[in-house]
Amino acid sequence: MRDILPDLRARCADGVPFALATVVAVHGSAPRDPGAVMAVDAAGTVLGSVSGGCVEGDLYEVAREVLDGSGPRVVSYGISDDEAFGVGLTCGGTIEVLVRAYASEGERAELAALLDLIAADRPVAEATVLSGEAETGARLVVRPADAGPTTGTLGNEGLDAAVTDDARGLLAQGLTGIQRYGAHGQRRMQEVAVFVRTYAPPPRMLVFGAIDHAAATARIGSFLGYRVTVCDARPAFATRERFPTADEVVRAWPHTYLESTEVDARTVICVLTHDPKFDVPLLLAALRTPAAYIGVMGSRRTHHDRLARLRVAGVDEAHLARLASPVGLDLGARTPEETAVSIAAEIIQHRWGGTGRPLGDLTGAIHRDR
């Protein structure tokens, strides 16, 4: 959604009707995850993508029909789907796509309110009925309990209450997926399928050390969708001019800044200072956080010296095992840009549990988590 967010907001503001196709489920291998969207407006303009080109042609026609008033529907594409074989999913998996129209002023106003929250990086979830004993396309917008009221309805209070509770749990974890309920929200029943799409603020990447490698890492962090902060205590180096792609550049002692800023289980920390007077206090602070990844630059000699200093400071082996050091995967990187790719590859590996080996050397599903 975020990649076409400005265009969707503009169409809502200008009163332009459009249909929105959203991937709600993926089976096997597929190029886009649940939540990927494609929009088709009244002029026939296409925004976004749901499959990297595999099924967009047929989906365009479905979107036009829905926009003309045929009503929301869920369509399925894939090698195993005879009806869609002609446009097939070349990656070998199947996807299910919800297509619904925002043709009226009221529908666009409701969506615009959701888009405003997403644009402001406010956590929010959208629950949409896919099938069963409820109206397909019915929507419920859910915010954290302390952040604002729930808007919309899925048809009855029981279903709304159950979905609201689950949506808040999924939102806290940054998860998106299909939930199933009884007609009135009963648990462990299958009568109603509801797609819950969560929009959490972008995860943070904290880069410490204002060096050339940090500039390259900040660039690739932004490319991967992180909100990037670069921190260094030296005013001559921690400048906006040197880090134009970073969301913020902070001049402070690294450990002092880390102890005062928000770090959650999605945050990644890249320590590129490789100077003991910065590294040791910073890593002591970092290991007290729930950060998903703590990568530390330096030679193997620097790494062993650093571990010795941390042990003297009282860090146990279990905590030391959290450090990705020396940072990055073994790609043979030489330049700052190549090193940044190595660091990014390791972050992705940590996030999804990959092996880091060439896919050609492996067998089985590429996307094991699916």
Side-chain angles (χ1 to χ4, degrees):
M1 180 76 84
R2 291 183 188 276
D3 53 347
I4 61 171
L5 187 60
D7 296 298
L8 293 181
R9 296 181 77 194
R11 279 158 176 76
C12 288
D14 295 341
V16 177
F18 59 89
L20 195 63
T22 304
V23 176
V24 297
V26 170
H27 309 283
S29 180
R32 301 294 302 274
D33 287 322
V37 298
M38 182 182 91
V40 179
D41 68 18
T45 303
V46 177
L47 306 168
S49 171
V50 297
S51 73
C54 301
V55 304
E56 264 77 1
D58 186 76
L59 195 55
Y60 174 86
E61 299 300 330
V62 174
R64 297 287 296 198
E65 292 173 8
V66 170
L67 194 53
D68 287 340
S70 67
R73 68 176 106 158
V74 177
V75 291
S76 179
Y77 297 99
I79 296 301
S80 62
D81 186 341
D82 294 335
E83 182 179 2
F85 187 81
V87 293
L89 199 63
T90 59
C91 299
T94 61
I95 60 174
E96 295 178 39
V97 184
L98 169 67
V99 187
R100 61 164 299 157
Y102 293 90
S104 71
E105 182 177 349
E107 290 170 330
R108 290 191 298 275
E110 290 179 359
L111 180 62
L114 172 65
L115 299 179
D116 288 345
L117 292 172
I118 298 171
D121 285 337
R122 303 290 179 82
V124 64
E126 179 187 31
T128 308
V129 172
L130 300 180
S131 62
E133 299 180 19
E135 181 184 354
T136 300
R139 295 171 65 248
L140 187 70
V141 175
V142 180
R143 302 180 65 184
D146 59 351
T150 296
T151 59
T153 182
L154 303 182
N156 62 73
E157 291 184 2
L159 185 58
D160 288 350
V163 172
T164 295
D165 186 49
D166 289 349
R168 285 175 174 156
L170 292 171
L171 183 58
Q173 300 175 69
L175 299 178
T176 286
I178 295 176
Q179 306 293 307
R180 299 184 185 277
Y181 305 89
H184 293 274
Q186 300 94 324
R187 307 290 182 176
R188 299 184 297 277
M189 298 184 73
Q190 304 289 315
E191 283 86 349
V192 180
V194 179
F195 177 64
V196 180
R197 174 68 168 104
T198 64
Y199 300 92
R204 300 189 70 191
M205 172 182 281
L206 306 180
V207 182
F208 294 97
I211 62 175
D212 289 345
H213 290 82
T217 302
R219 288 195 296 273
I220 203 166
S222 296
F223 177 75
L224 291 176
Y226 287 93
R227 184 175 183 272
V228 178
T229 298
V230 176
C231 176
D232 195 294
R234 301 167 296 175
F237 293 90
T239 66
R240 170 57 62 188
E241 291 73 22
R242 298 189 70 233
F243 300 97
T245 64
D247 293 281
E248 59 180 349
V249 179
V250 176
R251 299 171 185 171
W253 280 87
H255 72 281
T256 302
Y257 173 71
L258 184 58
E259 289 170 344
S260 66
T261 194
E262 181 179 355
V263 175
D264 62 22
R266 299 187 302 152
T267 302
V268 300
I269 297 173
C270 301
V271 179
L272 311 183
T273 51
H274 53 81
D275 182 332
K277 69 176 178 290
F278 291 108
D279 285 2
V280 173
L282 174 57
L283 292 175
L284 289 173
L287 290 169
R288 290 193 291 267
T289 73
Y293 171 89
I294 305 172
V296 196
M297 177 174 280
S299 67
R300 296 195 186 280
R301 179 177 178 179
T302 299
H303 167 64
H304 290 303
D305 176 70
R306 182 188 296 126
L307 292 182
R309 291 172 183 268
L310 290 170
R311 289 187 181 103
V312 169
V315 180
D316 61 30
E317 298 304 313
H319 282 84
L320 291 177
R322 293 183 60 197
L323 301 179
S325 176
V327 70
L329 296 186
D330 179 18
L331 305 182
R334 293 292 186 271
T335 67
E337 289 74 20
E338 290 174 346
T339 301
V341 171
S342 171
I343 294 170
E346 187 173 48
I347 289 171
I348 295 168
Q349 179 197 25
H350 272 245
R351 181 179 182 183
W352 297 113
T355 66
R357 296 174 56 196
L359 288 172
D361 291 348
L362 305 174
T363 58
I366 294 175
H367 301 290
R368 294 188 304 274
D369 59 297
R370 293 176 179 163

